[in-house]
Amino acid sequence: MPALVLLGAQWGDEGKGKATDLLGGSVDYVVRYQGGNNAGHTVVVGDQKYALHLLPSGILSPGCTPVIGNGVVVDPSVLLSELSGLNERGVDTSKLLISGNAHIITPYNVTVDKVTERFLGKRKIGTTGRGIGPTYADKINRVGIRVQDLYDESILTQKVEAALDVKNQMLTKLYNRRAIAVDQVVEELLGYADKLAPYVADTVLVLNEALEQDKVVLFEGGQGTLLDIDHGTYPFVTSSNPTAGGACTGAGVGPTKISRVIGILKAYTTRVGAGPFPTELFDEDGEALRRIGGERGVTTGRDRRCGWFDAVIARYATRVNGLTDFFLTKLDVLTGWEQIPVCVAYEIDGKRVEELPYSQTDFHHAKPVYEMLPGWSEDISKAKTFSDLPKNAQAYVKALEEMSGAPISAIGVGPGRDETIEINSFL
C-alpha cells in the first residue's frame, strides 16, 4: 500500500516540483489534491525548464498517470493552455485524469477576487487574483460549479444563476461594477466541455483501485504548511489545506492508506505575499539569496521575500503533518557565506519561545533567535553522496535535521533532476 504525500514544509516554493519529478519515474500516479493555478512548480529536465501551475509534476514522467483531484479548483482556460504548451514541446498529456467533483473557477470568481483584494487596500491578503478564494467560498456556500456540471446545461445554468444572484448585487451596489450576464458565463463554460471530456473521470475510484493493486501513488501538495487555511499564518494563507490531511479529503483516499509523508524544506526560507515572516532579511544577504536562488514566483512573477532557515517552522511542520522525512532543497544557494544564521527560537515580549505561537499577535511580534553555523565556499553542485559535501555543509544538514525533528532523506544541490543526493530511498 505505497501511498506517499509530498508537501511544502514552509510557506511554499520549497522545490516540490523537483522532488515530485525525481520520484515520478518510480510512481504510477501523481495527484494534486488542493489549490489551483495559484501554485507553481519549476521542473528542470536536462536542459529543459518547465513551469507547471495546475498540472501535477508527474505529467513530465512517461508511464506516470497525473491526476487532478476533487480538492483542486480548476480554471479551464489555464488548464487547456498549459496542456497545449506541453503538447507543443512533445510532452504526452493524454494520461491526465480530472475529477468530475473538482470545482471550476468561473470568470466571475476571478472578477470578485480582484475587486475585493483591491478594495481591502492596506489590509489586502496578497492573493494571486486568480479566483481561487472565491471559488472555494462558493464551494463551502454550496453554490459552486463542478467539472461534471459542464455536461448538464440545465444544472449549469441554474447554478450560475444562483451564484450571480448575490454576486451581481455585490458587484453593482458595493463595487460599482457592471453585472455579469448568466448566459455569457454559461456559454463560455460549455465551450470547455468537449475539450475536457477525455480527461474527466471518477478519480476517487481510480486511485483506491490503484492502491488495492499495489500501485505507487504520490499525493502532491501545492503551496506549503504555513499557508494552510487551518494551520497556517491566518489570515495570510491560501484557501485550502496543503497539509497532509488535505490529501485524504482532496483525493478521496483514507488516512490508513498513507504510508509516508515527505516535507520539502528549502535550506533557507522564502514566502510570497503579505504576512508575518520572522527571519525575513532586508539587507544584502536577503538580496543575495533572492538573486542566487532565482527567487521569483513561478505563477505570480513576484519576487519572493527571503530569510534564513527557521527551525521553529520546520518543527511545526513535522508535527502538524506527521512528517516521516524531509527533502532539503537549494543547499547550493548557501555556498559562499562564512557563517550562516539559523533561527532556533523566537523572542516574544522578552521571553524565549521554541515552538510556533498559536496566537496571531504573538507571531507578529516574534523576533528570531539565531545560532551561527560555519559556512563553506566549495562548489557542491557535483556532489553525488553525502560524504562528497564539505564538512561544514554536512554539519549544516545534520544541524537542520536535529532541529526539525525528522530525518533528511534527500538533498538538492542544484536545479537539475540529477543534482540530488539521495540518502535514504523514499520508496
Side-chain angles (χ1 to χ4, degrees):
M1 198 163 52
L4 301 87
V5 179
L6 189 148
L7 52 83
Q10 295 159 316
W11 275 287
D13 306 310
E14 300 95 346
K16 294 180 291 296
K18 175 185 172 68
T20 307
D21 178 65
L22 183 70
L23 292 167
S26 305
V27 303
D28 300 296
Y29 293 81
V30 175
V31 187
R32 272 288 302 277
Y33 60 84
Q34 50 73 225
N37 57 300
N38 56 342
H41 298 320
T42 298
V43 180
V44 179
V45 182
D47 60 352
Q48 296 291 308
K49 179 184 284 190
Y50 298 89
L52 304 176
H53 306 281
L54 188 56
L55 291 169
S57 300
I59 195 86
L60 300 174
S61 299
C64 179
T65 299
V67 179
I68 293 176
N70 56 275
V72 178
V73 290
V74 179
D75 186 321
S77 63
V78 172
L79 176 60
L80 292 169
S81 175
E82 199 166 337
L83 288 169
S84 176
L86 290 178
N87 289 333
E88 289 174 2
R89 297 177 67 178
V91 177
D92 178 15
T93 62
S94 62
K95 298 185 73 173
L96 174 69
L97 299 178
I98 304 170
S99 171
N101 288 337
H103 280 246
I104 293 283
I105 299 174
T106 67
Y108 53 79
N109 292 136
V110 177
T111 299
V112 168
D113 197 3
K114 290 179 178 178
V115 298
T116 52
E117 181 78 350
R118 193 176 301 124
F119 187 77
L120 287 172
K122 293 181 180 180
R123 297 183 302 278
K124 65 183 180 181
I125 302 300
T127 77
T128 57
R130 286 165 167 79
I132 311 295
T135 303
Y136 277 114
D138 280 0
K139 177 178 179 176
I140 299 303
N141 288 327
R142 295 176 288 273
V143 293
I145 310 298
R146 297 190 293 178
V147 170
Q148 60 174 282
D149 297 331
L150 302 182
Y151 304 98
D152 189 320
E153 185 174 350
S154 176
I155 288 179
L156 177 62
T157 302
Q158 291 176 46
K159 289 189 172 183
V160 173
E161 285 176 345
L164 285 178
D165 277 348
V166 175
K167 287 180 174 56
N168 275 336
Q169 294 289 324
M170 179 179 67
L171 288 171
T172 57
K173 295 181 179 179
L174 180 59
Y175 297 117
N176 196 29
R177 297 295 181 112
R178 292 180 181 177
I180 297 173
V182 172
D183 291 348
Q184 183 178 341
V185 173
V186 170
E187 181 180 1
E188 179 177 336
L189 294 179
L190 288 174
Y192 298 123
D194 288 345
K195 297 175 182 178
L196 293 177
Y199 308 110
V200 181
D202 181 352
T203 57
V204 172
L205 178 61
V206 169
L207 293 173
N208 279 282
E209 286 184 340
L211 289 170
E212 289 167 7
Q213 296 165 13
D214 291 328
K215 302 289 186 181
V216 181
V217 180
L218 178 64
F219 299 93
E220 174 188 48
Q223 291 90 34
T225 297
L226 273 296
L227 291 178
D228 188 277
I229 186 69
D230 287 295
H231 303 292
T233 49
Y234 191 90
F236 304 99
V237 292
T238 193
S239 303
S240 58
N241 293 106
T243 45
C248 298
T249 55
V253 172
T256 56
K257 295 185 178 180
I258 305 297
S259 54
R260 207 156 182 181
V261 184
I262 305 163
I264 313 304
L265 269 181
K266 197 174 283 185
Y268 47 102
T269 311
T270 64
R271 78 171 295 176
V272 171
F277 183 0
T279 67
E280 183 172 10
L281 296 169
F282 302 95
D283 57 10
E284 294 179 358
D285 285 333
E287 183 54 41
L289 289 173
R290 186 178 297 111
R291 184 185 70 255
I292 299 168
E295 297 298 349
R296 179 175 288 267
V298 177
T299 294
T300 64
R302 292 181 287 184
D303 283 343
R304 295 176 186 139
R305 299 157 64 190
C306 296
W308 298 120
F309 185 85
D310 189 329
V312 180
I313 285 173
R315 285 194 293 274
Y316 177 75
T318 300
R319 183 177 300 113
V320 78
N321 291 296
L323 296 179
T324 58
D325 306 77
F326 279 117
F327 187 136
L328 185 69
T329 63
K330 291 197 170 184
L331 183 64
D332 54 301
V333 174
L334 296 180
T335 300
W337 269 272
E338 288 188 15
Q339 288 190 310
I340 305 171
V342 172
C343 174
V344 296
Y346 300 143
E347 182 185 313
I348 303 174
D349 295 332
K351 296 180 180 179
R352 181 185 173 103
V353 176
E354 298 194 358
E355 301 297 344
L356 195 77
Y358 78 92
S359 162
Q360 177 182 341
T361 301
D362 284 348
F363 195 55
H364 274 276
H365 293 141
K367 298 178 181 179
V369 176
Y370 287 118
E371 180 178 312
M372 305 301 292
L373 299 178
W376 61 92
S377 58
E378 300 93 329
D379 178 14
I380 66 172
S381 62
K382 301 296 188 293
K384 299 300 180 185
T385 66
F386 187 71
S387 60
D388 290 339
L389 293 174
K391 294 298 183 184
N392 286 351
Q394 293 182 33
Y396 184 81
V397 172
K398 290 178 180 177
L400 265 53
E401 180 178 71
E402 183 176 347
M403 294 173 188
S404 302
I408 292 174
S409 293
I411 305 167
V413 293
R417 176 182 277 183
D418 59 341
E419 293 177 309
T420 303
I421 298 170
E422 191 170 346
I423 300 172
N424 295 308
S425 174
F426 288 121
L427 298 174

